[in-house]
Amino acid sequence: MLGQNSPFYQALVPSWVDAADEYYSIKGAQITKEEGNVFSLLKSITNYDYADLKTAAEKMAESRNESVLLTDGEYFQKSIALGNVNNPYLKDAFTKWLKKGHDIYIFSEPYQEPYKGAIYNKKRFYIIFTDSRLEGNIYDKITQTVKLEAYPQVEMFHLSASHPALAAESTHTTPNEMLSAQVKGFGTFEAQEWQVDWEDAIEPYIVNAVSNSTGQPLPDGAAFTGKLKIDRNSFGGYRITDVTVRSYDISQEFTNFCNAKNAGQKVGGKITPTEYKNFVKIDESEFKKHGVIDLHFDTQNFDPSILTGAPCTYFKLDICISSTENIFKQYEAMFTFDSIDQPGQKNVSLAESIKQCLAEPSIKDMMATSPIYTIYVKANKR
């Protein structure tokens, strides 16, 4: 597995040296913290038989820090005569890290290894335990300092179960011009303040909008805000196939917040607002075609009497995932390589680790309930 002479390995070394606080070697069953210069240690890696990759990865997943595991993926145990060619030994570590809400990035680098007169097609794996939201994280350092396109043979896979990414970071939705809205974006949420009245503008020109070409009512009215594009593959192993929006009346909660703040009382804490049923919906056609989220009022069920806030109405819109599909099969070959101890067989242990992790009910539940984006709206009293 020794890859010190690999140009890709060499390109990654500066990022690791810059980020590293500690360096550990897996010497069989012993996981040893090494003293000395990280750069020198990375240049002098030694192979050890029966490296306990499973325990090492689980310790990394239990940690609160970023870490990188460098391995050829082969997991040997003295108690097992042949290698663990289909043992999902990294599944627990992957699951534990993802359940914390973090990310795993894996670079897969192919190489050939001679052994007993034969040539085996192997892989080096650079497994990064990190969080994409952490400023200056290890993966970001690599993408900013290494020209990955210079290594076309290297593939990358991202694994996550939460915080699906917007296709363009730090964006916000685009409100309908009729609203004359003021908008402030804050990454994964935004605040809109609408400057027009419901009866004079919102209802006649948005809820009950008509076609400019035919003059006929639009079935879903006009979108009141939209053009929010999400990365539907941001979970890696699953693709987001559908989304939904939940609407909540937060007029009273906002009033309580302001009163407490003005009185110098402690503010914050969890709220349980009333959900507006059949108030807002997503343009499903636009999402399925382009991955773009446009929001419309539910014109068939729109009931303005629910807007009881005074002197202003405040509501919250949570855009959430409603369905996903497993797409890991198209990446599976990245994690498959020749087995040295069982000639003619493929080692699929790393692929199985990811596959079993993605099948874990707790991971699937995280993705199914993961919020994408939230919009807070302040509007005039109805």
Side-chain angles (χ1 to χ4, degrees):
M1 182 269 175
L2 295 181
Q4 289 97 315
N5 295 323
S6 158
F8 182 65
Y9 177 95
Q10 294 291 341
L12 297 179
V13 165
S15 296
W16 293 333
V17 172
D18 181 63
D21 292 322
E22 299 174 326
Y23 181 100
Y24 289 82
S25 294
I26 310 172
K27 301 176 179 179
Q30 299 294 319
I31 300 172
T32 306
K33 181 180 178 180
E34 304 287 359
E35 301 297 334
N37 181 277
V38 172
F39 180 81
S40 298
L41 292 168
L42 286 168
K43 293 287 189 177
S44 56
I45 295 176
T46 302
N47 259 348
Y48 289 91
D49 293 335
Y50 303 108
D52 191 354
L53 300 175
K54 177 178 169 64
T55 300
E58 288 174 357
K59 286 182 177 292
M60 293 164 69
E62 290 168 1
S63 170
R64 298 179 62 183
N65 300 319
E66 296 181 281
S67 56
V68 181
L69 176 64
L70 311 181
T71 177
D72 63 0
E74 290 185 312
Y75 178 45
F76 294 102
Q77 294 171 287
K78 292 181 180 180
S79 59
I80 298 177
L82 297 175
N84 294 270
V85 294
N86 63 345
N87 179 357
Y89 64 92
L90 292 177
K91 179 257 186 178
D92 290 344
F94 289 165
T95 302
K96 184 174 293 185
W97 188 254
L98 294 186
K99 285 176 69 174
K100 292 181 178 182
H102 302 321
D103 301 82
I104 298 170
Y105 294 89
I106 305 175
F107 288 105
S108 172
E109 180 190 17
Y111 73 100
Q112 291 188 320
E113 181 174 330
Y115 183 73
K116 293 185 177 180
I119 299 295
Y120 292 84
N121 293 310
K122 301 284 295 301
K123 302 276 178 70
R124 294 188 191 92
F125 298 106
Y126 308 82
I127 304 173
I128 304 171
F129 291 77
T130 185
D131 193 300
S132 62
R133 297 163 296 183
L134 178 66
E135 186 176 356
N137 66 73
I138 299 174
Y139 178 73
D140 277 355
K141 286 179 183 289
I142 291 171
T143 58
Q144 291 168 19
T145 59
V146 178
K147 292 184 178 180
L148 296 176
E149 63 273 15
Y151 309 96
Q153 77 282 12
V154 176
E155 297 180 276
M156 192 281 291
F157 180 72
H158 172 228
L159 198 56
S160 177
S162 65
H163 56 277
L166 302 180
E169 295 294 339
S170 301
T171 60
H172 57 70
T173 64
T174 302
N176 189 304
E177 292 181 354
M178 182 59 65
L179 297 171
S180 299
Q182 297 177 359
V183 188
K184 291 183 179 180
F186 302 92
T188 58
F189 70 96
E190 68 182 59
Q192 295 191 10
E193 185 171 347
W194 297 353
Q195 305 296 312
V196 296
D197 292 331
W198 288 91
E199 298 96 323
D200 297 336
I202 299 173
E203 291 173 37
Y205 298 111
I206 296 180
V207 179
N208 300 309
V210 299
S211 168
N212 291 331
S213 58
T214 68
Q216 296 299 309
L218 295 171
D220 296 314
F224 64 83
T225 198
K227 294 183 172 57
L228 182 72
K229 189 173 179 64
I230 65 168
D231 180 358
R232 297 174 67 182
N233 292 331
S234 56
F235 287 146
Y238 279 85
R239 177 173 172 80
I240 300 168
T241 53
D242 210 352
V243 292
T244 189
V245 58
R246 297 187 178 95
S247 313
Y248 300 93
D249 175 12
I250 57 170
S251 297
Q252 188 60 54
E253 285 76 10
F254 187 80
T255 300
N256 294 343
F257 170 84
C258 292
N259 290 341
K261 189 174 182 180
N262 292 336
Q265 299 172 355
K266 183 179 179 181
V267 297
K270 186 176 181 180
I271 62 173
T272 54
T274 302
E275 184 172 359
Y276 285 145
K277 297 291 187 181
N278 304 317
F279 182 56
V280 172
K281 63 182 181 180
I282 287 173
D283 185 333
E284 293 185 7
S285 175
E286 187 66 15
F287 178 75
K288 291 186 183 301
K289 288 179 181 177
H290 307 295
V292 172
I293 295 174
D294 287 342
L295 298 182
H296 294 249
F297 291 107
D298 188 342
T299 54
Q300 285 75 34
N301 300 290
F302 184 75
D303 178 10
S305 67
I306 65 174
L307 302 170
T308 58
C312 294
T313 291
Y314 296 87
F315 56 90
K316 178 170 80 103
L317 306 172
D318 284 339
I319 300 170
C320 306
I321 294 167
S322 58
S323 67
T324 59
E325 65 175 342
N326 192 313
I327 58 171
F328 179 64
K329 191 171 184 62
Q330 68 189 60
Y331 301 103
E332 202 167 338
M334 283 178 58
F335 306 101
T336 301
F337 53 92
D338 291 346
S339 171
I340 280 186
D341 60 324
Q342 297 186 50
Q345 297 285 320
K346 292 292 184 181
N347 189 312
V348 295
S349 55
L350 188 48
E352 285 297 329
S353 296
I354 297 172
K355 192 183 298 184
Q356 296 303 316
C357 170
L358 292 173
E360 182 70 23
S362 59
I363 296 298
K364 295 170 72 174
D365 288 345
M366 279 184 69
M367 288 185 284
T369 58
S370 186
I372 298 173
Y373 198 74
T374 296
I375 301 172
Y376 295 93
V377 176
K378 175 185 178 182
N380 292 338
K381 177 183 176 182
R382 169 62 168 80

